[in-house]
Amino acid sequence: MSREAIEKLSNMFENGRTHIDDAERDERPSTATNSKIVARLNECILANVYITIDEISNKMDISYGSVHKIIADYLEPHDDCLLTEEHKGKLVESAFAFLQCYQKEGNEFLSTIVTASET
């Protein structure tokens, strides 16, 4: 436990706190990560690979941070794992077509590509 946490607890007891249990809170309870929650979250993602963390959070009634942590720590999705062989083939074809256009048109071709990021 950090020095700051010890000082905070000490101050709380000096100011009248009499027990060590957490006080009642009106906010959403913390979510314990367990295999059922991880499995449900994974099912949400597999059912709709375009679902957002916000949508999962609302659907499962767990915090945005918990959803993000489960994905990062337990599911570790990689784009290539979600692709079928057909999708991978189409990506290779598209990459080859882009390369040919770039070789033909140079840097002007790059200005015609539209990209987007959710981050």
Side-chain angles (χ1 to χ4, degrees):
M1 186 178 278
S2 71
R3 182 175 182 85
E4 291 84 13
I6 293 170
E7 287 176 5
K8 182 178 177 182
L9 283 172
S10 177
N11 287 336
M12 290 168 65
F13 281 101
E14 286 175 3
N15 292 325
R17 187 167 182 165
T18 58
H19 53 31
I20 60 170
D21 297 324
D22 282 343
E24 291 289 324
R25 294 182 252 187
D26 290 334
E27 62 192 53
R28 181 185 293 184
S30 65
T31 304
T33 302
N34 60 47
S35 59
K36 287 182 181 179
I37 291 174
V38 173
R40 281 185 54 217
L41 196 148
N42 192 43
E43 288 171 10
C44 282
I45 293 171
L46 292 176
N48 176 6
V49 295
Y50 299 106
I51 194 167
T52 65
I53 292 176
D54 248 353
E55 291 169 332
I56 295 170
S57 174
N58 291 332
K59 182 175 185 174
M60 294 183 60
D61 196 32
I62 60 177
S63 73
Y64 183 99
S66 293
V67 173
H68 188 273
K69 183 167 178 48
I70 292 169
I71 291 171
D73 293 351
Y74 296 93
L75 300 181
E76 299 179 22
H78 300 285
D79 290 340
D80 62 335
C81 296
L82 299 174
L83 299 176
T84 65
E85 290 303 316
E86 180 183 355
H87 288 121
K88 290 177 187 178
K90 287 181 180 181
L91 282 175
V92 170
E93 289 174 15
S94 296
F96 185 68
F98 286 146
L99 180 59
Q100 287 179 324
C101 288
Y102 177 74
Q103 288 172 342
K104 181 179 175 184
E105 300 173 29
N107 287 339
E108 288 182 25
F109 169 71
L110 297 178
S111 65
T112 65
I113 298 175
V114 177
T115 61
S117 174
E118 289 187 31
T119 57

